[in-house]
Amino acid sequence: MKLQTRDIRALALLVVALILALLYRSAGGDAAPKVVTASVDPVTLAEKKLSKVRDAAATVQSKEAVLKDVAANLATREKGVMTAGTAAQAQAQLIQIVRRIGAAEMPPVEIRSTEIGPVRALGADYGEAVVSISVECRVDQLVNILAGLQAEPQLISASDLRVVSTGAKEKTVGARMTVSGVVPKKLVPAKSGGSR
């Protein structure tokens, strides 16, 4: 079998191409991706994770103690929230407290008139029941009523106090005060969704 000129030329080009391919490969022209192996020992990595979990677990007990203290503090403070089924019942309780404190005075102080105000929101979690009361008494009796309100276990207080002299001879005064008490948020009426 005789090779023709064209075949010899093709073989020569093939040999040259093979030599160039070998040179290219040996020079680092490998296009295959290189696999990177982890330099960290899996045991060391597991020990670090375990250490982090132990640190987190060590803080759980102190966080539970703080939560328990805060819950006890909140329970103590919420004992003063008035318990009533409706807003009207809460306002009636306020009137009864003022009547009881006034009845303890000598001579007893009677409520002349009452005006019931709306229950309004007090922060995000509570409401405020409001009642305005008018009494006629001596100044010392008025001071005793105000002190008696502050001594109550419920979270109540007097505000908007207006005092006028009614009897200079008997040293009596007419007083109108607003008494407020903290109630649960459920007693606050929902606002209407109307826009202006």
Side-chain angles (χ1 to χ4, degrees), residues 5-158:
T5 324
R6 181 179 66 147
D7 294 331
I8 295 173
R9 222 183 284 159
L11 279 174
L13 284 173
L14 180 64
V15 170
V16 170
L18 284 173
I19 292 172
L20 287 176
L22 287 173
L23 286 175
Y24 178 74
R25 189 170 258 240
S26 66
D30 187 13
K34 297 188 178 189
V35 178
V36 178
T37 59
S39 63
V40 179
D41 185 21
V43 174
T44 307
L45 187 62
E47 286 176 349
K48 285 182 182 178
K49 285 183 182 179
L50 179 61
S51 175
K52 286 181 183 179
V53 169
R54 284 182 180 160
D55 291 344
T59 62
V60 169
Q61 190 174 14
S62 64
K63 287 180 182 178
E64 285 177 346
V66 169
L67 177 64
K68 197 178 288 185
D69 289 344
V70 169
N73 191 2
L74 179 63
T76 302
R77 290 177 188 251
E78 282 194 339
K79 284 182 183 176
V81 175
M82 297 178 68
T83 55
T86 64
Q89 289 174 345
Q91 291 163 330
Q93 282 182 15
L94 287 172
I95 294 170
Q96 290 300 323
I97 290 169
V98 175
R99 279 197 178 127
R100 180 175 39 81
I101 293 171
E105 292 295 313
M106 283 300 151
V109 177
E110 293 184 18
I111 296 175
R112 300 266 180 183
S113 66
T114 61
E115 182 181 323
I116 305 218
V119 174
R120 53 190 176 220
L122 181 66
D125 299 320
Y126 301 101
E128 178 183 22
V130 180
V131 176
S132 295
I133 296 171
S134 296
V135 294
E136 188 172 323
C137 59
R138 295 188 321 262
V139 174
D140 63 324
Q141 290 176 315
L142 179 60
V143 171
N144 289 341
I145 291 172
L146 293 173
L149 286 173
Q150 293 301 313
E152 286 293 312
Q154 293 92 356
L155 294 172
I156 59 175
S157 67

